[in-house]
Amino acid sequence: MREAQGKNEMKTLKEIIRKYIGYVSLIFVAIILVVIGRIEILNEQKRACDDSLQAFHQIEQKLEQNQKELEEIRQEYTQTCLHNAEAIAYMLQDNPDVMNNRQELEKIAEFMEVDEIHIFDTSGCIVLGTCPEYYGYTFDSGEQMRFFKPMLEDKSLKLVQEITPNTAESKMMQYSAVWSKNGEFILQVGMEPVRVMKAMEKNELSYIFFYLRVDPAANYYAVDQESGNIVGTTDLPSVGKKLEDIGLSIADIPSENTGFHCHINGTGSFCVFRKIGTIYVGRVIPDSVIYQRLPANMILLVLGLLLIVIILSSAMMWCMNRYVINGIYSVNKKLYRIAKGNLDEVVDVQSCVEFSELSSYINEMVKSLLANSEKMSYVLGKTNMYIGVYEYNKNMKKVRFTEYIPRIFLLNEEESKRLSEDDKEFQKFIEKVRENPVAGEQGTYKLGEEDHYVKLEEISEENGIFGVAIDVTEEITRRKKIEVERDIDSLTGLYNRRGLDVQLSRLFGEPEKLGYCAMVMVDADGLKIINDTYGHEKGDVYLKKIGEMINTFETGKSVAARQGGDEFVLFLYQYEREEDLFEAFKVLDFIRQHCLAYLGEQLRVPLSFSFGYSLAKGELGYQEMLKEADERMYENKRERKAQKKHS
């Protein structure tokens, strides 16, 4: 009777399961359609974004290639312009009668492939040349002419002007000017930069749009960032319009290179824009093009899902009846026997959820015991140091830590109690400790202003954090002391040769941050005389005074070192202008001319030294600069000795 009742209940359960499987299947199909449809839309948008970014990359490459070509042509044009000026000046100086013959000057201009020849007198006025209409123009006749005015002060100058509109006709020209060798006139030539202008045209985005292989279904737009004007596009009727005229604005363009939908000229479109310089470059694709494959894909998806649902529903019902219902009946029989006292009955762990969960709990307990064993092994392995352990998890608010934790983190009793009672506060404290990492020491941090160092290691567990803190103050302090003794000169307190090499290697590792820099070699004059006259002790004082002198420059922008013996090195960097470095050299020169070194009571000697320098802006290595500065220093020493001998 009980079995018959069970069969009736199974039949009813099967009907309920079939009913709910049908509901779940329909919901499942609907969700899948929505998700897959959304994914398909996002994939199409991503594909459009990727294609757009690839096109933008091609445009940027083309711009870079054109810019490189333009720079090469400009340099070539500049050199040619200057060489032509020098050659013509030489010819005219050699044959001055030609200067008064305009026809001959025009022949020279044609031969040298220049467009204009102008001859200035020593006051800067055009007196002769191939263009009589320019006679009387001076270096003060316009902004373009004033570029060459410094030549009146310095006859060694050879100037080449950038391409610019000339003063008389506002015609794009490139001019160069040189003095004649005898200094009697200035020769200026002008050349029309035809090739340069053509190369500049290639940098126009409209030119690039039409000469790159682009998708004909998409339109490309180049929009000025400031004005919002369309400066180039494959949609010719839109050239010169405002971006708002086609249904978009600058504010609609996202800061990142992501796509967005809008209506362009009344058509729903997907747009991707990228900023290149001061121009926004955009690729616009109609929605009908980007989503043209979506309907067919969705129909195939619906048919496939329906087929899968029918097959899975049938399989699930068969499996449910054979394995789940029969399995539950089998487990109930075994549980019934256990309830009756048959404690030797074994329930297969794979046959029911209850035993599976119980096994899971047992496994977790075993894992926890193993983990605790590993933690203890880890802690016991740390010897000869103050070691602290802390632990907290999401199931408790308090933090458990060992007795050394307060000492390691320099906590007083009140702070220790507060942190132990609130895991959030303890996490904030650890995060604050991590704000002061020690360079070159992984996982090591400095506490406050004191020379106290802590090494932290944390292990993320499923429910919380297990951490180990080690006091490494003694170890790091000892290591730093060794480094100081190794890199610092004991007499002057400056870097020694090794310390200098370490500092320069670090600075020259990032040459772009050096700015204008100078390497200065300083050699103490008369050290031997001081040693012989007053003793080596006074000689040491004299060297210390020179060391103090070169160590007075701005901290963070200078490195001072004693190279050895009586030689010192001063490296100045991160100067904004080269002129500022020359001001520093003037300070050095003033010191050696006017300052005295106090070697003791009533004993003063001139602070005398020779120095040489090397200037650069990150383009030289420090070894090259040291060599160049050393050569100039010895040259300065020889000059100073020669001056003393003559005086």
Side-chain angles (χ1 to χ4, degrees):
M1 182 177 178
R2 187 176 297 174
E3 291 180 359
Q5 185 179 356
K7 290 181 180 178
N8 290 333
E9 289 177 355
M10 286 295 294
K11 183 178 179 182
T12 303
L13 181 61
K14 192 173 2 180
E15 290 175 350
I16 293 172
I17 291 174
R18 182 182 293 114
K19 177 182 177 181
Y20 280 99
I21 284 178
Y23 290 155
V24 170
S25 298
L26 291 176
I27 295 172
F28 173 76
V29 169
I31 292 174
I32 291 294
L33 287 175
V34 172
V35 172
I36 296 299
R38 180 59 181 166
I39 291 174
E40 284 290 314
I41 291 173
L42 293 176
N43 283 339
E44 294 296 336
Q45 292 177 359
K46 184 178 183 302
R47 187 180 295 111
C49 285
D50 291 342
D51 292 344
S52 300
L53 293 177
Q54 185 176 0
F56 296 154
H57 181 64
Q58 288 180 326
I59 291 171
E60 286 185 305
Q61 283 186 321
K62 189 64 177 175
L63 284 171
E64 289 177 2
Q65 178 183 346
N66 291 348
Q67 186 64 29
K68 184 177 180 181
E69 179 183 343
L70 176 60
E71 291 301 323
E72 290 175 354
I73 294 174
R74 276 181 171 164
Q75 291 180 7
E76 178 186 346
Y77 230 74
T78 298
Q79 292 297 321
T80 301
C81 193
L82 181 61
H83 291 164
N84 287 344
E86 291 176 333
I88 295 173
Y90 181 80
M91 286 189 283
L92 296 184
Q93 178 178 315
D94 194 49
N95 192 2
D97 294 337
V98 174
M99 289 191 291
N100 296 308
N101 190 329
R102 200 177 105 198
Q103 291 182 342
E104 289 298 321
L105 289 176
E106 290 175 349
K107 289 180 181 179
I108 292 174
E110 182 179 0
F111 175 74
M112 297 300 294
E113 296 182 350
V114 300
D115 297 290
E116 298 175 6
I117 296 177
H118 305 298
I119 301 171
F120 292 76
D121 61 17
T122 56
S123 67
C125 178
I126 299 178
V127 294
L128 296 169
T130 59
C131 303
E133 62 271 21
Y134 295 167
Y135 290 179
Y137 278 69
T138 70
F139 288 148
D140 292 315
S141 296
E143 187 66 27
Q144 177 263 323
M145 297 287 286
R146 273 193 290 275
F147 175 81
F148 296 96
K149 191 171 182 179
M151 295 184 68
L152 298 178
E153 303 294 332
D154 186 354
K155 291 189 177 184
S156 66
L157 288 178
K158 299 177 182 180
L159 298 181
V160 181
Q161 193 175 37
E162 294 289 336
I163 299 171
T164 184
N166 66 5
T167 299
E169 306 172 65
S170 295
K171 181 170 61 175
M172 299 302 291
M173 296 287 289
Q174 184 166 36
Y175 289 96
S176 64
V178 297
W179 276 94
S180 63
K181 294 294 184 180
N182 56 18
E184 294 180 355
F185 62 89
I186 298 174
L187 192 284
Q188 183 189 68
V189 301
M191 299 173 62
E192 289 191 39
V194 178
R195 286 182 60 204
V196 178
M197 300 304 291
K198 286 183 178 179
M200 291 174 68
E201 289 177 1
K202 289 184 179 180
N203 264 8
E204 297 291 335
L205 285 168
S206 294
Y207 175 91
I208 293 174
F209 286 165
F210 281 101
Y211 282 89
L212 280 177
R213 292 182 178 178
V214 295
D215 182 3
N219 279 322
Y220 289 78
Y221 293 85
V223 183
D224 182 73
Q225 177 187 358
E226 298 295 332
S227 65
N229 290 332
I230 299 174
V231 296
T233 177
T234 53
D235 180 21
L236 294 180
S238 298
V239 175
K241 291 184 179 180
K242 288 279 189 181
L243 194 58
E244 289 81 358
D245 296 338
I246 65 171
L248 193 60
S249 68
I250 293 291
D252 296 331
I253 300 175
S255 58
E256 299 181 356
N257 302 324
T258 55
F260 60 96
H261 282 92
C262 65
H263 282 77
I264 302 295
N265 292 323
T267 302
S269 305
F270 185 76
C271 309
V272 183
F273 277 81
R274 183 172 183 172
K275 189 176 179 183
I276 301 178
T278 60
I279 299 295
Y280 280 112
V281 178
R283 183 172 181 259
V284 177
I285 314 166
D287 289 343
S288 59
V289 174
I290 192 174
Y291 302 125
Q292 60 185 351
R293 292 174 291 191
L294 194 57
N297 290 345
M298 294 304 293
I299 292 173
L300 291 174
L301 179 62
V302 170
L303 295 176
L305 287 174
L306 289 176
L307 180 61
I308 291 172
V309 165
I310 293 171
I311 295 173
L312 287 179
S313 297
S314 301
M316 286 176 64
M317 288 305 301
W318 181 81
C319 291
M320 186 76 68
N321 185 56
R322 181 170 180 177
Y323 296 104
V324 177
I325 303 301
N326 292 339
I328 291 174
Y329 178 74
S330 176
V331 170
N332 284 338
K333 285 198 302 182
K334 292 188 176 184
L335 289 176
Y336 176 77
R337 292 171 186 170
I338 293 172
K340 290 297 183 178
N342 187 5
L343 300 179
D344 294 329
E345 189 71 32
V346 176
V347 179
D348 187 3
V349 74
Q350 300 299 327
S351 62
C352 65
V353 174
E354 288 78 8
F355 280 98
S356 177
E357 289 180 348
L358 181 59
S359 299
S360 165
Y361 298 150
I362 294 173
N363 291 335
E364 288 297 324
M365 291 174 61
V366 173
K367 288 181 181 179
S368 178
L369 291 173
L370 292 174
N372 286 332
S373 177
E374 291 175 356
K375 293 173 188 175
M376 294 303 298
S377 298
Y378 181 84
V379 172
L380 292 175
K382 303 291 184 178
T383 58
N384 299 325
M385 292 183 185
Y386 286 106
I387 303 171
V389 178
Y390 59 87
E391 184 177 16
Y392 57 90
N393 59 57
K394 62 183 181 182
N395 296 322
M396 62 180 184
K397 183 176 176 61
K398 291 188 176 182
V399 180
R400 297 194 300 268
F401 49 70
T402 58
E403 59 179 327
Y404 284 135
I405 286 293
R407 183 195 180 285
I408 292 171
F409 287 118
L410 304 179
L411 300 173
N412 57 37
E413 184 176 351
E414 182 181 350
E415 291 173 330
S416 178
K417 182 179 180 181
R418 178 175 60 85
L419 293 177
S420 68
E421 292 178 349
D422 191 338
D423 62 328
K424 301 298 182 185
E425 288 295 322
F426 190 82
Q427 290 180 49
K428 291 179 182 178
F429 174 77
I430 294 298
E431 289 172 1
K432 188 174 181 181
V433 170
R434 293 184 186 277
E435 291 176 359
N436 296 302
V438 179
E441 300 285 342
Q442 185 176 5
T444 303
Y445 308 90
K446 182 179 180 182
L447 292 185
E449 299 297 326
E450 303 180 27
D451 289 334
H452 189 83
Y453 302 93
V454 177
K455 187 176 183 67
L456 282 179
E457 295 184 33
E458 288 190 344
I459 301 173
S460 295
E461 299 180 322
E462 184 176 353
N463 293 324
I465 295 293
F466 169 73
V468 176
I470 308 171
D471 187 344
V472 292
T473 302
E474 183 178 349
E475 177 186 349
I476 292 181
T477 302
R478 182 171 61 251
R479 192 185 311 142
K480 285 189 174 184
K481 182 179 179 182
I482 292 172
E483 290 176 355
V484 168
E485 292 174 350
R486 180 188 61 193
D487 293 345
I488 301 300
D489 177 59
S490 59
L491 176 64
T492 62
L494 305 179
Y495 287 111
N496 57 23
R497 184 187 296 269
R498 187 189 185 285
L500 175 66
D501 189 66
V502 170
Q503 295 301 315
L504 294 181
S505 296
R506 176 180 62 81
L507 291 172
F508 278 79
E510 298 179 305
E512 67 279 1
K513 296 182 180 180
L514 288 177
Y516 285 100
C517 58
M519 189 75 71
V520 185
M521 292 290 294
V522 176
D523 185 86
D525 292 339
L527 177 63
K528 186 176 184 305
I529 296 175
I530 293 175
N531 285 335
D532 294 343
T533 306
Y534 306 110
H536 286 276
E537 182 180 349
K538 300 300 183 184
D540 288 346
V541 175
Y542 184 71
L543 290 175
K544 289 174 68 175
K545 294 297 183 182
I546 293 182
E548 293 172 1
M549 175 272 297
I550 69 169
N551 201 28
T552 57
F553 289 86
E554 184 177 350
T555 303
K557 296 177 68 173
S558 65
V559 176
R562 183 186 178 195
Q563 184 87 328
D566 55 358
E567 289 188 353
F568 295 81
V569 175
L570 172 63
F571 179 63
L572 304 173
Y573 60 99
Q574 288 186 352
Y575 281 70
E576 295 182 359
R577 301 180 309 160
E578 194 175 76
E579 291 79 1
D580 296 334
L581 291 170
F582 285 107
E583 291 297 323
F585 301 154
K586 290 180 181 178
V587 171
L588 289 174
D589 192 57
F590 177 85
I591 290 173
R592 73 176 177 183
Q593 292 186 38
H594 299 90
C595 292
L596 298 175
Y598 293 83
L599 304 185
E601 293 184 4
Q602 307 301 322
L603 180 56
R604 305 178 185 178
V605 297
L607 196 62
S608 178
F609 54 88
S610 303
F611 72 90
Y613 59 84
S614 172
L615 299 177
K617 194 181 180 184
E619 67 271 10
L620 293 178
Y622 69 86
Q623 296 290 357
E624 297 174 83
M625 294 185 71
L626 281 168
K627 182 178 179 182
E628 183 178 349
D630 190 61
E631 291 172 354
R632 291 187 176 177
M633 183 270 290
Y634 278 109
E635 182 180 342
N636 181 250
K637 182 176 281 291
R638 288 192 295 269
E639 292 174 356
R640 288 165 56 79
K641 286 183 178 180
Q643 290 175 0
K644 288 181 179 179
K645 187 180 293 186
H646 290 304
S647 60

